[in-house]
Amino acid sequence: MKISRLAWRSGLAAWALAYALQAFAQASALSPVDDMAAHPERLSAQFWVRRLERPDQLMMDASAIAEQNRRLFAQDRTMHDLSRMPAILDGVQVRQWIEQRSVRPTGPLYDRQGRVIDEAHRDAWMTSLALDRIPTSQVTRYGLVVHRASLRSFPTDERVFRRQGDTDIDRFQETAEFPGTPVVIVHTSGDGQWLFVLSARYAAWVHKADIAEGSADEVLGYGRASDARVITAAVAHTVFTPEQPALSRLGLDMGIRLPLDPRPPSMVNGQASYTSHVLRLPVRDAQGRVRFADALLPRNEDTAPDYLSLTPVHVIDQAFKFLGERYGWGHDYDARDCSGFVSEVYRSMGVQLPRNTGDQGSSPALHVQAFTAADSHEARLRAIDSLDVGDLIYIPGHVMMIIGRINGKPYVIHDTAGASYRDAGGQVRRVALNGVSVTAFLPLLSDDGTPYVDRMTDVVRMRAAP
């Protein structure tokens, strides 16, 4: 029996489509966990580094990074240039900052025991803001963070959740700031135990005990020291010292730049100093004022004399230092979330980013490509194909970092609570990850089965904007 050329071509096209669909189903049949378990070598930074064509090529040099950071503070409304704060703060502005962060919660909320939080509780949170105590104007005050400090929506440690049974996503946990971070102090809570502060990237409530107040010169000058160490570990720790408990085993997260003592003594807190870097760290005295004290950071901790160069090999190496860390919403659990993860990786190379995903993906200072409903699936795939190592992919509420490709398919590293995928039978399955994970990108789905690629809101190319 003869077959026409058109029929033959149609049959071939149908076979190719069926084969492609079958291949995609097979590729998607494994959960992200099982996929990586089958290829443990992909969980090594060196696996991805070896695949780089030009691992040491500069993505941006120091001058381009400095210019992007300058634009970020000049153009991005989520950032605060503390060096340009007026000497006198207007009370209307202070109230706006607080009311933008401390919005009365609506909808069901639950405590950590799963009990419904009532309106009386919400009334108490609003009262604790002490908005009626904001003066018409006030002298601008400054402080330094003395240890890892949680920033909260309201001046309370109460953990609140949107669904019963959830104990991870505390909706009052905003972010964290690290030792040596400068802040502007703008208000005090009704009980006097919390401060509303502005850092470079955020505005929220922090425990008063976490902040040491000082003059503008003391606070803003602290980070400008020429002789310093940059933390390039996921977290480094000062040595144990009973003589200075506030600085004993102090956690120092990736990207922090801390001054060295310009005249280090031979002994610090009873220990010889030559095996360590002698950091000059802020501490809080009995009156809440800042003073500075020496602390030893062992030389075998992962640090550098300056920010790392922004290259693909450094991006991958730094990102993989967090691999397996527990997911921490808003930097909870002494960890970080998706936007905190990418921020700290890039901060170790001197690159500043806004705190939250929506702000990162829409920042006017970054090299952003935005997507709308008008962008087709094919156009989105082409955009993904054009991304390089270190570029960032955003969907609502989440960010992922490109680390390379296998057989042309993109892989990402991201700090995530979990993801969905389609099993061999075509059913959408949810898998909990709850940590910094490596996954293929294209099989990832939202819980309703929509591919992540079709939910992309933006991509940020970590190169100088054109």
Side-chain angles (χ1 to χ4, degrees):
M1 179 177 66
K2 292 184 178 181
I3 303 175
S4 72
R5 181 170 296 180
L6 178 61
W8 181 82
R9 287 179 175 172
S10 298
L12 181 61
W15 175 85
L17 177 61
Y19 179 83
L21 291 172
Q22 182 184 22
F24 180 79
Q26 290 173 343
S28 304
L30 291 177
S31 78
V33 174
D34 292 335
D35 182 33
M36 286 298 107
H39 302 282
E41 70 280 1
R42 298 176 186 176
L43 297 176
S44 161
Q46 288 306 305
F47 173 85
W48 299 98
V49 168
R50 286 193 296 268
R51 303 176 74 84
L52 296 171
E53 292 183 5
R54 291 178 288 181
D56 298 312
Q57 182 183 33
L58 281 177
M59 298 157 63
M60 284 191 280
D61 63 19
S63 62
I65 292 171
E67 172 57 21
Q68 178 171 287
N69 290 343
R70 185 200 65 77
R71 289 199 314 273
L72 186 69
F73 282 94
Q75 300 174 8
D76 195 311
R77 293 185 177 182
T78 69
M79 306 294 288
H80 309 118
D81 186 346
L82 303 190
S83 68
R84 294 182 177 273
M85 284 288 165
I88 302 295
L89 290 179
D90 179 71
V92 173
Q93 174 64 82
V94 169
R95 188 182 186 105
Q96 287 177 352
W97 281 327
I98 297 172
E99 290 183 333
Q100 286 170 0
R101 180 63 59 215
S102 304
V103 179
R104 186 186 181 96
T106 59
L109 284 177
Y110 305 91
D111 65 17
R112 70 181 76 194
Q113 284 78 38
R115 297 172 300 205
V116 174
I117 293 174
D118 59 20
E119 290 302 312
H121 234 87
R122 300 173 201 235
D123 291 341
W125 294 330
M126 299 306 295
T127 301
S128 71
L129 305 180
L131 297 179
D132 58 336
R133 300 185 193 175
I134 298 173
T136 303
S137 63
Q138 58 180 295
V139 174
T140 302
R141 299 159 56 199
Y142 296 86
L144 286 168
V145 177
V146 295
H147 53 77
R148 196 183 214 266
S150 290
L151 270 62
R152 307 278 293 167
S153 312
F154 285 86
T156 177
D157 285 319
E158 291 182 270
R159 294 173 65 81
V160 300
F161 308 94
R162 289 186 183 162
R163 61 178 179 81
Q164 286 181 308
D166 182 12
T167 57
D168 283 336
I169 311 299
D170 173 6
R171 295 297 171 172
F172 283 0
Q173 178 69 20
E174 294 285 345
T175 187
E177 295 292 1
F178 306 136
T181 301
V183 298
V184 166
I185 302 166
V186 305
H187 192 47
T188 303
S189 63
D191 64 5
Q193 299 305 305
W194 294 77
L195 301 174
F196 193 89
V197 300
L198 306 183
S199 70
R201 302 195 307 154
Y202 223 73
W205 294 94
V206 64
H207 276 289
K208 186 177 182 178
D210 295 339
I211 306 296
E213 188 168 351
S215 68
D217 288 342
E218 286 175 318
V219 169
L220 300 180
Y222 177 75
R224 296 171 182 160
S226 58
D227 197 9
R229 297 301 293 185
V230 174
I231 305 301
T232 50
V235 183
H237 291 88
T238 60
V239 300
F240 170 79
T241 169
E243 296 87 353
Q244 190 71 260
L247 299 180
S248 180
R249 295 289 296 163
L250 184 67
L252 306 171
D253 289 72
M254 182 181 287
I256 301 176
R257 183 180 184 275
L258 295 165
L260 296 172
D261 188 329
R263 294 179 296 277
S266 60
M267 299 289 290
V268 174
N269 297 325
Q271 182 176 345
S273 65
Y274 76 97
T275 57
S276 300
H277 301 292
V278 183
L279 301 179
R280 197 73 174 153
L281 294 175
V283 293
R284 188 175 190 270
D285 68 17
Q287 289 72 46
R289 302 293 300 180
V290 69
R291 63 180 181 86
F292 298 96
D294 285 342
L296 297 180
L297 182 66
R299 289 181 180 271
N300 63 6
E301 289 278 11
D302 192 355
T303 70
D306 202 351
Y307 294 113
L308 302 174
S309 56
L310 181 52
T311 62
V313 65
H314 282 153
V315 169
I316 289 176
D317 281 344
Q318 292 303 98
F320 270 77
K321 288 175 183 178
F322 290 114
L323 185 69
E325 180 182 80
R326 174 72 181 247
Y327 177 82
W329 168 269
H331 276 69
D332 211 353
Y333 299 155
D334 275 343
R336 60 220 85 235
D337 54 21
C338 61
S339 54
F341 162 65
V342 299
S343 293
E344 275 138 54
V345 168
Y346 277 110
R347 186 169 56 184
S348 70
M349 287 161 269
V351 178
Q352 294 286 338
L353 293 174
R355 171 59 182 88
N356 291 332
T357 53
D359 299 323
Q360 290 177 3
S362 61
S363 177
L366 304 180
H367 188 177
V368 176
Q369 179 182 357
F371 298 91
T372 70
D375 291 294
S376 68
H377 180 77
E378 291 72 21
R380 291 163 178 268
L381 288 176
R382 287 194 297 271
I384 293 297
D385 285 343
S386 73
L387 297 183
D388 293 318
V389 169
D391 290 341
L392 304 175
I393 305 170
Y394 294 84
I395 64 172
H398 191 50
V399 56
M400 296 152 278
M401 179 189 290
I402 291 280
I403 56 172
R405 290 175 173 79
I406 297 176
N407 298 324
K409 304 300 182 185
Y411 278 69
V412 293
I413 187 168
H414 50 141
D415 200 347
T416 180
S420 294
Y421 68 103
R422 200 173 298 279
D423 68 16
Q427 297 297 308
V428 175
R429 305 290 185 190
R430 174 79 177 173
V431 61
L433 295 171
N434 248 6
V436 179
S437 309
V438 174
T439 63
F441 172 68
L442 293 179
L444 297 180
L445 310 173
S446 299
D447 290 345
D448 64 359
T450 304
Y452 273 17
V453 70
D454 291 325
R455 297 198 69 214
M456 284 195 313
T457 56
D458 311 272
V459 296
V460 170
R461 291 176 168 83
M462 296 308 295
R463 311 295 189 276

